[in-house]
Amino acid sequence: MKRRAKPIWLLGIILMLVACSPDAERESIKPEEGPPSPKEEEPIRIGFSMDTLLEERWLKDRDLFKEAVEALGAEVEIFAANGDDALQISQAERLIQSGVDVLVIVPHNAEATAAIVHKAHLAGIKVIAYDRLVKNSNLDLYVSFDNEQVGEMQAKAITELVPKGNYVIIGGAITDNNAHLLKKGVFKVLRPYIENGDINIIYDQWTKDWTPVNANANMEEALRTTNLQIDAVIAANDATAGGVIEALEAKGLAGQIPVAGQDADLAGVQRIVKGTQTMTVYKPIHMLSEEVAKLAVSMAKGENINAGQKVKNGKIEVPSVLLTPIPVNKSNLNTTVITDGFHSEEEVYQE
Ligand code: GAL
């Protein structure tokens, strides 16, 4: 068959069709721009389920954790349940359903939140407990400060000042495993004094939700039922110590009875300067938030996590990282919380 000369306009149309077809396009790009860039890696997403933001320290934890996660190129979604167990569980479910890579949780209730760990694992999501342990669950990792040591530091500081006398223990929330660890540390130090009759525990009560109001009510009850025969108070944190000192102030006893606290809240360190609170225990929160952020991102990448310690949670020995707290009183305020920028000198000394 003799190939007839195709009319020019027909050739033009064919070339155009070839040029506009997608295959052609890709073909045309490929040689020029090299291999197509891999699909943009989704940033790692961390879910952060918090108990509460109604206390100074947790606001810091939220901000410092967000900063630390984002500094690692990951994203974080944060919920706070303000002490409502059902709300915390439903917020965690939303994070699980949204497909976070790892779930970090500050439990309000150490037992009730075991359900969250179970649900997360069903979705293939690992769970890290932040500062507070989740009990009776297959928790993947626990990162906190050594809370027993916090209690020991409180009791050591107060027994140095009051080796004999009537002690009041204003505990933390019974739902919080830290409150139990703290109390264990306190009684480890007090026991020998109690056994030889030097120290008498005349009042010992948990404080619902760690609130100053509940601590104040507990302390008023202690003052009433002991006819003010109190020589020292160990309060589980600065928020509860604030409630205690308010009750002492009402009886004109503030500054006369040593009071221990925890957290180095601004109001707590200001009371130490003023002399109505004896000491607090400082926990550099940036260390905790950076450690958890680093481990959460590693976990999301499927990397091996080597946690140096193990903590029993009633079901398993949870791989754990326990950081060291710092006892603080008037003599080392400057070299601890102020040097760290946890509070400014102006704020602490209210200049
Ligand atoms: C504990 C925590 C303390 C204290 C308390 C109240 O679990 O370890 O630092 O702040 O909660 O929220």
Side-chain angles (χ1 to χ4, degrees):
M1 190 172 79
K2 191 166 140 342
R3 294 171 47 79
R4 272 179 325 120
K6 296 219 180 4
I8 294 295
W9 55 268
L10 184 57
L11 204 57
I13 290 175
I14 292 170
L15 281 175
M16 260 175 57
L17 285 173
V18 169
C20 299
S21 72
D23 295 352
E25 220 175 79
R26 195 169 306 121
E27 255 152 36
S28 67
I29 292 171
K30 200 184 281 174
E32 258 152 36
E33 288 163 3
S37 59
K39 189 173 141 312
E40 280 303 310
E41 285 285 320
E42 294 286 317
I44 287 171
R45 287 185 58 242
I46 310 291
F48 193 23
S49 163
M50 302 186 74
D51 162 21
T52 182
L53 288 173
L54 300 178
E55 273 184 68
E56 180 183 307
R57 78 148 282 181
W58 299 114
L59 296 167
K60 277 200 173 88
D61 290 275
R62 176 199 57 192
D63 299 343
L64 290 170
F65 184 66
K66 185 171 185 304
E67 219 175 278
V69 168
E70 290 171 354
L72 295 166
E75 293 176 356
V76 60
E77 188 167 353
I78 304 172
F79 284 109
N82 292 341
D84 180 331
D85 292 330
L87 179 58
Q88 182 161 34
I89 291 170
S90 69
Q91 288 173 336
E93 280 171 347
R94 282 171 60 187
L95 290 168
I96 291 165
Q97 276 145 20
S98 78
V100 293
D101 297 293
V102 170
L103 181 62
V104 177
I105 176 170
V106 184
H108 171 254
N109 184 309
E111 303 286 354
T113 42
I116 294 175
V117 178
H118 183 63
K119 287 177 189 201
H121 285 174
L122 290 177
I125 297 170
K126 290 193 170 172
V127 183
I128 302 177
Y130 182 108
D131 195 73
R132 297 174 178 174
L133 192 64
V134 177
K135 303 275 303 228
N136 299 312
S137 62
N138 294 321
L139 190 58
D140 301 286
L141 185 64
Y142 169 51
V143 186
S144 185
F145 288 87
D146 184 331
N147 292 287
E148 262 187 59
Q149 213 184 348
V150 171
E152 292 169 31
M153 289 171 172
Q154 292 182 316
K156 278 201 187 104
I158 300 297
T159 49
E160 267 159 31
L161 295 170
V162 188
K164 286 182 192 293
N166 294 333
Y167 273 53
V168 166
I169 309 293
I170 301 291
I174 197 166
T175 51
D176 181 351
N177 188 64
N178 282 351
H180 299 263
L181 294 172
L182 205 69
K183 195 170 270 195
K184 198 172 163 203
V186 165
F187 278 90
K188 202 191 283 178
V189 172
L190 294 185
R191 187 151 296 104
Y193 295 86
I194 296 168
E195 280 161 5
N196 65 21
D198 285 345
I199 287 177
N200 178 22
I201 306 297
I202 50 169
Y203 185 89
D204 179 1
Q205 197 44 270
W206 303 101
T207 304
K208 187 171 179 327
D209 290 336
W210 296 86
T211 66
V213 173
N214 294 336
N216 179 267
N218 281 343
M219 194 58 204
E220 283 184 349
E221 186 185 41
L223 287 160
R224 199 173 48 251
T225 54
T226 64
N227 197 13
L228 311 187
Q229 298 310 304
I230 294 170
D231 301 297
V233 182
I234 298 182
N237 70 347
D238 291 341
T240 52
V244 163
I245 290 161
E246 215 179 286
L248 292 175
E249 247 143 21
K251 298 289 180 193
L253 294 169
Q256 292 172 34
I257 296 175
V259 176
Q262 173 195 191
D263 288 338
D265 285 359
L266 182 55
V269 292
Q270 287 170 340
R271 286 191 297 263
I272 290 173
V273 170
K274 203 168 138 203
T276 54
Q277 184 169 327
T278 310
M279 62 84 69
T280 187
V281 178
Y282 169 47
K283 303 187 291 184
I285 292 173
H286 69 88
M287 289 169 66
L288 175 63
S289 54
E290 285 158 21
E291 184 72 17
V292 178
K294 188 188 74 188
L295 293 168
V297 170
S298 295
M299 208 177 243
K301 291 179 180 165
E303 293 166 3
N304 273 344
I305 304 287
N306 59 3
Q309 288 129 308
K310 292 229 181 267
V311 172
K312 291 194 180 81
N313 75 345
K315 185 167 185 185
I316 61 168
E317 291 206 319
V318 182
S320 302
V321 177
L322 298 181
L323 305 168
T324 306
I326 303 163
V328 169
N329 59 27
K330 228 180 219 171
S331 68
N332 65 342
L333 266 175
N334 291 6
T335 54
T336 53
V337 293
I338 292 175
T339 300
D340 269 13
F342 197 70
H343 300 299
S344 71
E345 198 156 358
E346 295 69 36
E347 284 174 323
V348 170
Y349 296 101
Q350 300 182 71
E351 288 157 349

